[in-house]
């Protein structure tokens, strides 16, 4: 079998139809160098020489290990046990465990993941994961709209702007209406919630890193008969009161901070947790524990009758698969650290971020933007264009100063610190920024 | 298969029992048997206006989730709240305690367009 997509005969027929003499004629309006680019490849090399060349090129990359970037992807330590376990064939190959008799291990691991997410969020039930934080938010909001039978959504400007874009795309498709609630002084004001709003959404810590008071927002939502959806960094939940305890009906977020490498921005996993009362509105898959006829403990997929492969167009969501492997990596990370370990990781990140902020505020022209208290990310106003600053820092070997979208203000940059950053790293960034701004 | 003669039927296995100016609606013995153990029922909202054939409730069994269609156009005036706690009533007593909702038809004469017990029996035989 050959892989030629079109036969000579088909090409001739197509040319005839459009009135072109030849393929060259057809592409005549395109620049010559684009149509037939000259590809300059080196002479063939032995495999070992290719590998050597590739590692030489790789060494030219900036190490991203201790990046100060935040805003959705952060550099954290990934304990080697996570990678080692995740690469085991049992986890790596079991795609969708529809066959409980052969997938008990994967089902149990998924059940453990769901349990940990439920515990972290203070809610009763979590699904087997979503693709990432943004899709988890969209699915969480759709859940709230189904439950309330309303079509209005009120979202805080403190929710990650990219998450809001994804949400907008999902909501447009179902004809729901999204309204953004502007931040006041870096925080979400308690809004009047009009009739017809089915979901109120806020993020804590918010996009600027500031801690929000979720309880009054949840109360305002509930008074109007809407559900409250909280977006939360799961690592922050090691220290903060869980969204469930603050009145959230639905909690969503991104799991990258739980043991996933930065990996050029993917793959991540999203978590979605809610109350048991809404379990039939939950999209995606849910693993439950049961006993077999002999009373032995076992695990199975439940509420599948709502899933896409059974109910097709009437399914709760078009998400039919999930981020099984990366979600399990999150569970492995949480299990490896334990509640105390997670707390230590979170605490050190908070301490280093606060230290970094005071160091950077020593520099002339740098002013605070994120109100206190904040978590492990914060925004500063710089005296220069943040894009230029980020580039100049990269030239000095540092990944820092994520430019913040203009909707929040001018010349704003986001910084983050984690458990990886030691005092010398913080001082190095301050010195480099001092040079760049000088 | 039990098919009472006092009511009307749809080809989609709903029954409709006239009571004054309303009709009680549920699913047939055949339907409950085909579904298996019913574990959840999603009831319509009282006051909802429905068209004939519109999906207005969902009966979920361990195997599947099936839509329940309005046998005639009208307004939902009552729902069987007992099903929220004990959905198995549909299996135990599909023509009695397992009723699902009560409709006030826009026109009672529309019921005549439905099947009678004999017609439903024939339809079932065609299906088997």
């Amino acid at each position: 079998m050959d892989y030629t997509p079109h036969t000579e005969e088909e090409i001739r027929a197509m040319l005839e139809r459009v009135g072109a003499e030849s393929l060259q004629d057809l592409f005549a309006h395109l620049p010559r160098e684009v149509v037939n680019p000259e590809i300059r490849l080196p002479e063939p090399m032995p495999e070992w020489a290719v590998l050597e060349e590739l590692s030489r090129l790789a060494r030219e990359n900036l190490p991203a290990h201790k990046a100060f970037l935040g805003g959705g992807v952060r550099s954290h330590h990934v304990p080697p046990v996570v990678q080692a376990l995740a690469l085991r064939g049992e986890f790596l190959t079991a795609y969708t465990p529809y066959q409980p008799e052969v997938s008990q291990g994967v089902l149990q691991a998924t059940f453990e993941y769901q349990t940990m997410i439920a515990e972290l969020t203070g809610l009763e039930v979590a699904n087997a994961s979503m693709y990432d934080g943004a899709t988890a938010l969209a699915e969480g909001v759709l859940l709230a709209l189904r439950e309330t039978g309303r079509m209005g959504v009120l979202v805080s400007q403190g929710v990650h702007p990219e998450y809001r874009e994804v949400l907008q795309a999902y909501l447009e498709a179902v004809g729901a209406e999204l309204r953004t609630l502007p931040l006041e002084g870096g925080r979400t004001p308690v809004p009047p919630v009009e009739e017809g709003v089915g979901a109120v959404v806020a993020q804590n810590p918010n996009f600027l890193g500031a801690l929000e008071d979720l309880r009054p927002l949840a109360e305002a939502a509930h008074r109007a008969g809407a559900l409250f959806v909280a977006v939360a960094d799961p690592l922050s939940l090691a220290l903060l009161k869980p969204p469930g305890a603050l009145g959230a009906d639905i909690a969503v977020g991104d799991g990258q901070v739980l043991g996933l490498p930065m990996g050029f921005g993917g793959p991540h996993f999203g978590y979605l947790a809610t109350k048991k009362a809404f379990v039939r509105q939950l999209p995606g898959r849910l693993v439950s524990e049961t006993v077999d006829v002999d009373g032995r403990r076992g695990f199975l997929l439940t509420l599948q009758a709502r899933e896409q492969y059974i109910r097709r167009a009437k399914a709760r969501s078009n998400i039919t698969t999930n981020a099984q492997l990366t979600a399990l990596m999150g569970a492995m990370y949480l299990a490896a650290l334990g509640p105390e370990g997670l707390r230590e990781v979170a605490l050190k990140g908070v301490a280093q971020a606060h230290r970094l902020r005071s160091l950077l505020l020593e520099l002339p022209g740098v002013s605070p933007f994120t109100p206190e208290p904040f978590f492990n990310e914060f925004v500063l106003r710089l005296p220069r264009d943040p894009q230029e600053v980020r580039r100049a820092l990269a030239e000095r070997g540092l990944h820092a100063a994520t430019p913040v979208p203009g909707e929040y203000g001018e010349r704003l940059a986001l910084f983050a610190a984690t458990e990886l950053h030691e005092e010398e790293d913080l001082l190095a960034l301050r010195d480099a920024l001092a040079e760049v701004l000088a | 298969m039990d098919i009472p003669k006092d009511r009307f039927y749809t080809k989609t296995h709903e029954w409709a029992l006239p009571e004054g100016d309303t009709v009680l609606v549920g699913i047939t013995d055949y339907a409950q048997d085909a579904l298996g153990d019913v574990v959840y029922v999603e009831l319509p909202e009282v006051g909802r206006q429905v068209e004939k054939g519109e999906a207005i409730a969902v009966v979920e069994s361990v195997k599947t989730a099936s839509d329940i269609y309005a046998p005639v156009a009208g307004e939902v005036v009552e729902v069987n709240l007992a099903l929220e706690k004990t959905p198995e009533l549909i299996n135990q007593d599909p023509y009695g305690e397992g009723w699902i909702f009560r409709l006030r038809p826009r026109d009672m004469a529309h019921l005549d367009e439905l099947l009678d017990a004999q017609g439903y029996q024939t339809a079932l035989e065609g299906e088997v």
Side-chain angles (χ1 to χ4, degrees):
Chain A
M1 175 174 178
D2 75 6
Y3 293 93
T4 311
H6 304 295
T7 62
E8 283 298 324
E9 215 169 303
E10 287 167 334
I11 293 173
R12 212 165 33 243
M14 286 189 278
L15 288 175
E16 215 164 284
R17 181 67 183 265
V18 298
E21 293 279 312
S22 64
L23 281 178
Q24 242 171 345
D25 185 16
L26 182 67
F27 298 132
H29 62 291
L30 297 173
R32 184 185 289 263
E33 62 275 18
V34 175
V35 179
N36 276 316
E38 191 191 343
I39 300 170
R40 272 170 307 191
L41 285 177
E43 289 302 301
M45 290 162 91
E47 193 169 84
W48 59 83
V50 172
L51 287 175
E52 252 168 55
E53 174 64 6
L54 290 178
S55 38
R56 188 192 63 76
L57 288 171
R59 279 194 299 275
E60 288 183 18
N61 281 331
L62 267 185
H65 180 55
K66 285 187 179 182
F68 294 93
L69 305 170
V73 184
R74 268 200 320 262
S75 63
H76 283 286
H77 175 63
V78 180
V81 63
V82 173
Q83 183 93 343
L85 281 176
L87 290 177
R88 285 188 61 96
E90 300 91 322
F91 293 122
L92 198 56
T93 60
Y95 163 55
T96 302
Y98 289 126
Q99 300 82 18
E101 66 280 10
V102 296
S103 302
Q104 277 297 301
V106 173
L107 289 170
Q108 180 172 359
T110 309
F111 180 78
E112 304 287 353
Y113 159 78
Q114 293 173 182
T115 307
M116 292 174 189
I117 294 298
E119 282 181 2
L120 271 178
T121 54
L123 286 159
E124 292 160 306
V125 52
N127 74 5
S129 77
M130 312 259 77
Y131 298 135
D132 55 24
T135 51
L137 169 62
E139 293 287 351
V141 168
L142 290 178
L143 189 167
L145 296 184
R146 285 193 297 271
E147 187 61 38
T148 57
R150 300 178 179 184
M151 288 304 253
V153 178
L154 197 52
V155 63
S156 159
Q157 195 191 14
V159 173
H160 196 304
E162 289 166 4
Y163 286 26
R164 281 186 277 135
E165 274 183 51
V166 171
L167 181 61
Q168 173 71 42
Y170 271 65
L171 293 185
E172 255 173 40
V174 298
E177 207 177 309
L178 182 67
R179 199 162 67 75
T180 307
L181 180 67
L183 292 177
E184 283 174 13
R187 288 213 174 75
T188 312
V190 178
V193 183
E194 337 52 275
E195 218 179 297
V197 169
V200 176
V201 188
Q203 179 176 322
N204 187 44
N206 69 24
F207 181 64
L208 306 176
L211 294 178
E212 297 266 12
D213 190 0
L214 295 184
R215 202 187 292 272
L217 296 169
E219 284 167 2
H222 292 156
R223 271 197 302 277
L227 298 186
F228 181 62
V229 183
V231 184
D233 172 348
L235 183 58
S236 75
L237 299 179
L239 301 179
L240 303 176
K241 261 202 184 137
L246 297 171
D249 302 285
I250 297 159
V252 297
D254 196 288
Q256 184 267 332
V257 295
L258 302 179
L260 293 178
M262 291 193 286
F264 298 97
H268 289 194
F269 72 87
Y271 75 81
L272 172 54
T274 187
K275 295 174 173 169
K276 201 177 168 191
F278 308 142
V279 72
R280 280 171 198 279
Q281 302 291 354
L282 200 61
R285 294 185 296 133
L286 191 65
V287 177
S288 297
E289 185 185 354
T290 187
V291 286
D292 70 8
V293 286
D294 299 321
R296 288 174 305 195
R297 188 181 186 221
F299 299 88
L300 75 162
L301 292 176
T302 31
L303 295 173
Q304 286 186 91
R306 301 282 162 161
E307 258 230 87
Q308 203 192 15
Y309 74 99
I310 291 180
R311 229 168 118 72
R312 316 242 161 178
K314 287 176 180 165
R316 285 294 176 234
S317 150
N318 285 322
I319 283 193
T320 171
T321 184
N322 61 4
Q324 181 91 58
L325 185 65
T326 45
L328 291 186
M329 287 172 77
M332 291 161 187
Y333 176 84
L334 289 169
L337 266 67
E340 274 311 303
L342 193 70
R343 219 179 121 75
E344 276 174 39
V345 165
L347 271 177
K348 182 161 178 215
V350 171
Q352 298 307 77
H354 284 71
R355 169 78 179 137
L356 178 64
R357 181 169 175 268
S358 32
L359 283 173
L360 300 184
L361 283 175
E362 288 169 7
L363 304 176
V366 176
S367 57
F369 188 77
T370 299
E372 292 184 87
F374 65 96
F375 191 62
N376 59 0
E377 299 187 12
F378 57 91
V379 173
L380 298 177
R381 197 185 295 275
L382 304 179
R384 265 184 73 187
D385 174 38
Q387 283 287 9
E388 291 169 22
V389 171
R390 186 183 57 80
R391 247 177 261 129
L393 287 172
E395 279 161 22
R396 287 165 175 77
L398 289 163
H399 288 294
T402 311
V404 171
E407 64 170 295
Y408 294 97
E410 295 301 308
R411 301 192 321 277
L412 300 178
L414 184 71
F415 294 83
T418 70
E419 76 284 358
L420 289 173
H421 297 108
E422 302 299 347
E423 178 72 8
E424 65 199 51
D425 303 312
L426 308 182
L427 293 172
L429 177 58
R430 182 203 52 189
D431 295 346
L433 188 61
E435 262 179 57
V436 167
L437 296 179
Chain B
M1 203 62 62
D2 188 17
I3 307 176
K5 295 202 163 49
D6 61 350
R7 60 195 76 195
F8 298 96
Y9 297 88
T10 65
K11 284 187 181 159
T12 48
H13 311 292
E14 289 88 9
W15 54 258
L17 176 67
E19 286 183 353
D21 66 342
T22 65
V23 286
L24 212 54
V25 180
I27 63 170
T28 65
D29 189 28
Y30 171 84
Q32 71 77 21
D33 187 60
L35 281 171
D37 290 345
V38 173
V39 293
Y40 182 74
V41 182
E42 197 177 296
L43 297 166
E45 253 175 78
V46 172
R48 178 169 161 189
Q49 299 288 338
V50 296
E51 294 303 319
K52 177 182 176 168
E54 196 177 324
I56 61 170
V58 181
V59 172
E60 188 175 316
S61 70
V62 288
K63 290 190 262 189
T64 186
S66 305
D67 286 325
I68 305 303
Y69 303 97
V72 288
E75 182 188 344
V76 179
V77 289
E78 194 187 352
V79 295
N80 187 0
L81 294 173
L83 295 176
E84 286 183 350
K85 287 258 159 59
T86 45
E88 59 272 24
L89 287 174
I90 287 185
N91 294 115
Q92 292 160 2
D93 189 8
Y95 295 116
E97 294 294 305
W99 66 279
I100 300 174
F101 54 87
R102 185 188 294 278
L103 273 182
R104 180 174 294 120
R106 218 165 283 158
D107 186 347
M108 286 301 272
H110 289 162
L111 287 170
D112 298 336
E113 294 163 19
L114 301 176
L115 303 166
D116 60 10
Q118 184 57 47
Y120 182 60
Q121 174 77 45
T122 311
L124 277 188
E125 279 157 13
E127 194 164 297
V128 185

